[in-house]
Amino acid sequence: MAEPIICPVCGESNPADMEFCKNCQSRLLPLTGPLKDEDGPIHPGQIPTKKVTAELEPILPEWLREARKQARQSAEDEPTITGGDKQTKPLTQTPDLLAGLADQNKQGDEDDETPDWLRSITGAPAKKKKNEQDSSQVKWVELGHNEEPGKDVPGSESAGLPWMRGGESAPEKDELTEWFKQAASPAAPSGENLTFTKTEAPAPVQPDRSTPTTPVSSAGEVPVGTKDIQPYERESVKDLTGSALSSDIEIPDWIKKLDAETPSAGQHTESGKDAPSPAFSSDTDIADWIKKLDSGTPLVGQQSESSKETSTPALSSDKDIADWFKKLDSETPPPGQQPSSSKETPSPATMLPDVPDWLKSFDEAAGAGQSGTESGEALPDWLKTAGPSVQETPAGPAPAEPAIVQSQPIPEKNLPLSELPDWVSSLTPIEPRAAEPREPAVPAFQMEAPATSPAEPVSSVSALPTEPPAASPAGPVPAASAFTEIPESSDDVDAIFASMKIPDWLADITPSQPSPEEGLPPAAQAEEPIEPAELPSWVQAMRPVESAMRDSTAGPLDSRLEERGALAGLQGVLPAIPGATAATSKPKSHSIKLDATDQQQAHAALLEQILSAETAPVPMKADSVPRSQRVLRWALSALLIIILGGVIFGKTQIFPLPAQVPNETIAAIQAVEAIPADAPVLVAFDYEPATIGEMEASGASLMDHLLLLKHPRLALISTSPTGAALAERFMASTLAQRSYQSGAQYVDLGYLPGGLAGVFDFSQNPTAVMPLSADSAEVWNTQVMQGVTHLSDFAAVIVLTDSVESGRVWIEQTELARGNAPLIILSSAQAGPMFVPYVDSGQVKGMIAGLNGAAGAEQANGGLPGFVRRYWDAYSLGLLLVVVVMFLGGLWNLWLGIQDRRVHEAG
Amino acid sequence: MNLLGLALVVLSAFFLLILSLIKRKSPPKLRGIPALTRLYRAVGLSVEDGTRLLIGLGGASLLTQNGGAPLAGLGLLRHLTERTSLSDRPPIAAAGESSLALLAQDTIEAGYQGAGAGEYYQPTTGRLTGMTPFSSVAGMIPILHDENVSTTVLVGHFGVEAALLAEASERENTFLVGSSDALSSQAALFASAHETLIGEELFAASTYLGAGPSHSASLTVQDVLRWIIILVLLAGTVLKLIGFI
Amino acid sequence: MSPDLITGMVAFLFTLMILSYLIGDNPLFRVAVYIFVGVSAGYVAAVSIRQVLWPDLLQPLYQGFLFGMSLRQAVLAVPFFLSGLLLMKAWPPLSRLGMPAMGLLVGAGAAAAVGGAVTGTLFPQVNATIAAFDITGVTSPESLLNAGLVLAGVITTLVYFHFGARTRADGSVRRFGLIEIIAFLGSVFLAITLGVLFAGVYSAALTALIERLHFFGTFFGFG
Amino acid sequence: MRIAALVLAVLTGVIVLVGYFIPVLNPIQTIFLTWAIILAGTAALVGVFNLILVHGTKISQREKGRIYSAILLICLFAAFFFGLVLGPDHPGMRLLVNAVIVPVEASLMAVLAVTLLYASIRLLRRRANLMSVLFIATALLMMIGSATLPFGEVGALNNFLRPWFQHVLALGGARGILIGVALGTLTTGLRVLIGADRPYGGK
């Protein structure tokens, strides 16, 4: 009677023959222990027990069934394969599945929606569409979302990782399935896949990830996993020519085993012998991490301290991806799945708001893996992280999945999650930071990621927590994409996990330490159909070698046991069973914590600042309007009024009138003197009351001269409503000495409306347009207007105007109708210069402009009525005073203006 | 000469019509005019501040030779009204001529309706501030002081009296963009206004502030006619010098 | 008290009230301005009726009703009807009725502006510019030089107003290089022109101030 | 109404415009222009109503400055009534013009003498560029040339430089401005005539 077994979980005592605890159903006998019908561990190269797994065939997922079928066919088709042949075999299948992805990537590049500001931060080269994107991206920043669904910023959940959109998971499943099919042969890419491939590939691991796949890439047959990370991988490929050359012969033995799974066993041993490890197949970086592994430095807790230390998991994950990929080529699941899945995993993993227990176990396992690799450098790193149990069976995880699941088929698109733990284990220290809500990991990781240089994969990983950013072509962008997707609410987290669409067979696997709020994981039900320890042969192949068993107990992190499921009892085995990560999917909620270093927080704050600068509305600055200077205004007013008033009141005549009379003034005087006596003359008063002082002074002399000499009959008219009153005032006050009376010597036609049109009409038919005088009396049949029916009947037309426009109207609109009647302009100084050309051209016979022009007329008129002389001293003195003040004040203000400009430019 | 003038007008109308109907992918590139740039900012600022915009249309009758400037002012008024119709304080249009004041009312109403805010239209926002040039300007000065005006735009036919508004706006510390088709007032405004639109720039104001395609088309036509006139001047000069004409 | 004295006193008061604006905006200035606006508006409105509507519209129609309509009088029925519609604009609810009248007014105004611009400005100014080069009328070489300067001023100023531009490599929107150079010369001519005009404007304003001061002197017996 | 307004505007505009270039149409053009002038006169009355409405609203709503509005309305009614009854040509109306309109406008013009001086002094602080400097320099030159000195006048300045600036340099720029304004007027007017701009109402 064997002694009862104490359940390590619940402490319940169980009979010795029980494999599972009757209380908690946890495995009592670790798989590492002797299994049924098995004695002792398998030694390296040992052929596993042949197990008939045919009955499992129907329940295998479709892709796996196809894979197996394909493998069989290939095995049948091919004759006995030599090691070298076998090594090349996986590569022979890659082109088909990569052809489509090449297109996808190409298109993906075209549709890269990285905003320019983000691009500038990351240092990534700007896209050609940059300018077009600017506005929209800015809008996106301002509005907090991108208006174009297909143009989300990398890392945005919705588009960055389409498969994460819970709502859209169903259609994506189809697209993904389609994509998988396309991956097997050159096919057109799908839009979903673009974002899909774009947003995975975390910056820190990409360069490393590319390393083992380089050989394939160099052969022009890039596996999906590497193809998707081309932007920075291409550079790394150039750096890794050595590994590229050796790629074809650098295939781990476990692949050969997989290849030979259907063929004879002899080949297994063969392949087992001459298969170099992927570690050696990759470039010198590998040697570094091997050294580090030798040093046995534990990863967890020290990753942030030393970049070299952290490099190990990254490398392992990368090589792992390449390894399983090669394996998939031979193992026959549609190859597109694995890489894509492995690429997908970073994003969801980094988005995990809280590190689940199984992830912690990865950390521990990672440490264990190192100790485990002391003797097994050739093994893929994910095997190291998986702990000792899988030391000798590199192909473990992927093939193991179907074995674990025997109840539900695996949805193809969910397979990617199977690879989650590997690289997640390398990123474990980062994840919590990435999950902090107040400081989205985007900036933090964004700023860190650039440190990743394709040529320095190790530092790229190590830089994550600590290193400041450095330019990297494209690495940061996907990294940002992965980290920007960190949901800040538990709901978001649920949505992400829900959208992951973890296959049930994976979801059923329980995490090693389920959180209390989680009920019994569905894995418990999934296990039922499984007969404990009735493992398929290839699962048996996963059993650890003795050395690994010894090592597994050596490390402090090895104490963790898998308690449930087919692998119950295994230590640190979860990383080897990526599906197990999916078992933690659909958590209720996770608190989001980010353990960011000060530097990361500084970087995050920096990016936040940049973002806020983008979103913050720029307050419109009012144009500076110079302040009014009352004192200056008062001083100028006082100066002018006092000085000019003194001159006016003093009636001084110090300043002489201009000696030279302008030509146009002389012409005006001559024109007036040429008017026949007692002839009808039309006088237009087209000025405003504002200029009455100047206009009366300008016109008085000539009009007085005319009335004195020729006694003309006047017809007064105005195109201004107030003109008639001004005309009356002119006749009554300015020309009072001539005692002209309305109706006797002159008539006031009054206001001529219509401006240009009115003047034109009047010039065409004066009697019809202005039939009545200002006082509504008949005028054309009076004695004053006797013989006047047309404009040409007037002996002259005299226009008193203060504006260029009204003067031009009279000049131009009456030109034809005037006939030989001369036109004389009496204008304000402000309009005078513009009439000179008309004087020169003869359209205007003469002109008097302002006081200067009137001075000559006044002198010609014997000083009567003498307005100019009265005003001239004040006028001249005033102008000189103004010139001095304007000159000095102008210089002073010019200097002040320059000062202001300097201050403005400086400030 | 008459037929030549008619041909010029018909040709201009044809080009204007065609260019107005052509759907351009992007508005035509125009040289920068600092006054209009500042005006554009000032208009936005007035909406943000909830202050008022005062648009002076001048005192010219439409039937005078100066009727073009008030029409340009009405075009600008329409556009500004649409832009600022939802402001706390709607813009005020001040005219110095009765028919212009009525047109200002119609334009403002149309602008409100164009902006889908017809119910906010107030007839008193289109005002006749005076019926002579100086009285209309004098009537605008109290508006600057009493009605929280932040920006004043003068687009129309103004005389030198416009300088009084510039003076008043400086006292009230409000921004003024002045323009007129009258030469003397352009000189006065150049010295006294914060910003001045010289000559032809007056007619481009609405285009620069984003008015419709017909406005930008008119600028294109102006540019075409400008070069035609320059060529005519040069050719005429040469022909005159050689005594051909 | 004679009307002239009353007029002088009132004018003196208004002059003082307006000049008080030099000190600052104040109630006296406001009162003067509002009175001025009211009086001028009432005066202009009265002028419009007495000197426009009555002689051009109402009187002919009135005479037509009394002594039979001539064709010219009958035609005035159209503006009479439109004027009636236009008056509706005084009452906002019915203001739409005035649209046709305003349409006619605007159409005529626009045509007058266009016609005036072409016949009154474009052709005359272009002709005058070209005519200055008439060899027969040229009295001296310097007059030809002046004519050339005027031509240069006209052309460069016209080019200055050219609106069309293009976006340069640096993103700035500027005109063609040669146009920019010519426009610069145009700006020089413009500055000189505006300076000359400003001097004239200031002369007019200064004369107005002198006239007002002279009025004070006359009012107080100094003039 | 909008359609009628548009039709009337375009029709009238075309007839009046063509009348400028085809003398045969002058009589029709004159008729339409006369109608427009009459309507402008009617518009003056409506404008007065607008003035009354604006200031009446200020008074009724007790807005700021309503007292001034009341003064304005009183003056407006008085001037309108006496002007209508007596006529603008009546001595009483002339007295009104000479006592109010003339002194106020002349005084406002006089105020410009100070404000323009003040503004030109400050110009170089607001816009210190070549145009402003040239503007001020030219203005100063013209003013000196317009004045005489107690001991006579500066011949070259008064009799040569000032006229040359006025009649040559300024003329070129002024013509350029006038032609440019004419071009702007042409296109702006045509926009109305083709119905693109409808200031009389219409969306």
Side-chain angles (χ1 to χ4, degrees), chain C residues 138-187:
Chain C
V138 170
T139 55
S140 65
E142 60 189 57
S143 61
L144 262 184
L145 175 68
N146 291 340
L149 281 173
V150 172
L151 177 67
V154 174
I155 291 177
T156 55
T157 308
L158 276 173
V159 172
Y160 170 86
F161 290 120
H162 183 84
F163 296 106
R166 58 183 58 181
T167 308
R168 292 190 172 182
D170 61 357
S172 64
V173 178
R174 300 195 66 181
R175 297 177 289 194
F176 182 61
L178 182 61
I179 292 179
E180 286 289 349
I181 295 169
I182 299 173
F184 172 76
L185 294 175
S187 68

Side-chain angles (χ1 to χ4, degrees), chain A residues 626-629 632-633 636-637 640 654-656 658-660 688-692 725-726 728-729 748 753-754 756-757 760-761 774-775 808 830 834 836-837 852 872 875-876 879-880 882-883 885-886 889-890 893-894 896-897 900-901, chain D residues 20 26 29-30 33-34 37 88-89 94 97-98 101-102 105-106 109 113-118 120-122 124-129 133 136 139-140 143-153 159 162 166-167 170-171 174-175 178:
Chain A
R627 289 275 169 185
S628 175
Q629 294 182 353
L632 176 60
R633 192 180 287 107
L636 294 175
S637 307
L640 284 176
I654 301 170
F655 293 81
Q660 187 172 350
E688 294 299 318
T691 55
I692 197 167
L726 299 181
E728 290 291 343
R729 171 191 162 103
D748 187 356
L756 179 145
F760 180 77
D761 286 347
D775 52 7
R808 280 177 44 225
Q830 59 183 301
M834 290 311 302
V836 173
N852 288 81
W872 191 257
Y875 180 75
S876 287
L879 283 178
L880 293 175
V882 166
V883 166
V885 172
M886 201 181 286
N893 277 275
L894 179 63
L896 288 178
D900 290 348
R901 192 173 297 177
Chain D
Y20 275 99
N26 273 351
Q29 178 200 33
T30 305
L33 282 175
T34 307
I37 290 168
D89 206 36
R94 289 182 198 163
V97 171
N98 291 329
I101 297 177
V102 169
E105 283 207 19
M109 190 71 177
V114 175
T115 57
L116 285 178
L117 175 59
Y118 170 81
S120 53
I121 287 174
R122 305 253 295 166
L124 292 178
R125 184 170 188 177
R126 277 201 313 274
R127 291 196 301 266
N129 54 30
V133 172
I136 293 293
L140 291 177
M143 287 182 192
I144 297 172
S146 301
T148 57
L149 301 172
F151 49 81
E153 57 183 327
N159 306 325
R162 188 176 70 95
Q166 285 183 338
H167 303 163
L171 182 61
R175 275 187 179 158
L178 289 174

Side-chain angles (χ1 to χ4, degrees), chain A residues 322-334:
Chain A
D323 294 339
W324 58 252
F325 183 77
K326 293 168 187 164
K327 173 218 59 173
L328 283 178
D329 292 341
S330 58
E331 189 67 16
T332 68

Side-chain angles (χ1 to χ4, degrees), chain A residues 46-127:
Chain A
Q46 175 185 343
I47 305 167
T49 312
K50 188 77 177 175
K51 276 276 180 187
V52 179
T53 56
E55 70 279 1
L56 299 178
E57 193 80 11
I59 63 167
L60 288 177
E62 186 183 352
W63 66 267
L64 189 50
R65 286 203 299 272
E66 290 174 0
R68 294 168 63 84
K69 186 178 173 184
Q70 195 175 343
R72 286 195 206 94
Q73 287 172 350
S74 59
E76 290 163 5
D77 297 344
E78 295 173 14
T80 306
I81 305 165
T82 64
D85 295 335
K86 276 174 277 173
Q87 289 153 12
T88 56
K89 182 183 176 189
L91 301 175
T92 58
Q93 293 190 0
T94 50
D96 291 342
L97 63 96
L98 295 176
L101 291 171
D103 297 336
Q104 289 169 10
N105 237 8
K106 201 162 110 192
Q107 188 169 340
D109 290 341
E110 289 168 0
D111 295 352
D112 186 0
E113 297 305 330
T114 309
D116 301 317
W117 58 266
L118 184 55
R119 196 183 301 282
S120 62
I121 294 169
T122 59
K127 295 284 175 192

Side-chain angles (χ1 to χ4, degrees), chain A residues 150-295:
Chain A
K151 294 190 173 185
D152 286 2
V153 170
S156 83
E157 276 176 54
S158 54
L161 288 173
W163 54 274
M164 286 184 178
R165 282 185 245 122
E168 299 176 22
S169 56
E172 278 178 19
K173 183 181 289 185
D174 301 339
E175 292 183 8
L176 211 50
T177 312
E178 182 59 27
W179 180 76
F180 288 145
K181 291 172 186 166
Q182 294 169 358
S185 63
S190 78
E192 288 296 343
N193 290 335
L194 293 177
T195 50
F196 181 71
T197 53
K198 244 187 299 172
T199 49
E200 27 78 346
V205 291
Q206 284 303 352
D208 298 329
R209 174 192 283 195
S210 66
T211 308
T213 56
T214 303
V216 186
S217 335
S218 63
E221 301 162 350
V222 186
V224 179
T226 58
K227 187 78 175 175
D228 294 332
I229 55 175
Q230 273 180 340
Y232 29 89
E233 188 196 22
R234 289 201 185 94
E235 297 182 12
S236 63
V237 168
K238 293 169 192 166
D239 302 336
L240 302 172
T241 48
S243 57
L245 291 171
S246 62
S247 62
D248 289 351
I249 56 168
E250 292 171 352
I251 299 178
D253 54 345
W254 56 272
I255 291 183
K256 302 186 182 85
K257 286 182 188 173
L258 295 173
D259 294 340
E261 195 167 270
T262 40
S264 69
Q267 295 164 355
H268 288 284
T269 45
E270 238 179 69
S271 62
K273 288 172 193 168
D274 41 59
S277 82
F280 294 127
S281 70
S282 55
D283 61 7
T284 52
D285 300 336
I286 312 300
D288 299 338
W289 64 260
I290 290 173
K291 290 167 196 161
K292 290 177 222 108
L293 291 179
D294 294 342
S295 68

Side-chain angles (χ1 to χ4, degrees), chain A residues 612-677:
Chain A
S612 60
E614 290 287 337
T615 55
V618 182
M620 288 184 67
K621 235 181 152 183
D623 288 320
S624 62
V625 178
R627 289 275 169 185
S628 175
Q629 294 182 353
R630 276 189 181 180
V631 180
L632 176 60
R633 192 180 287 107
W634 291 343
L636 294 175
S637 307
L639 192 70
L640 284 176
I641 290 173
I642 291 170
I643 292 178
L644 298 183
V647 172
I648 291 288
F649 295 155
K651 299 181 181 178
T652 62
Q653 295 193 358
I654 301 170
F655 293 81
L657 293 175
Q660 187 172 350
V661 180
N663 296 333
E664 58 269 18
T665 302
I666 296 171
I669 295 169
Q670 292 171 349
V672 165
E673 292 174 347
I675 295 172

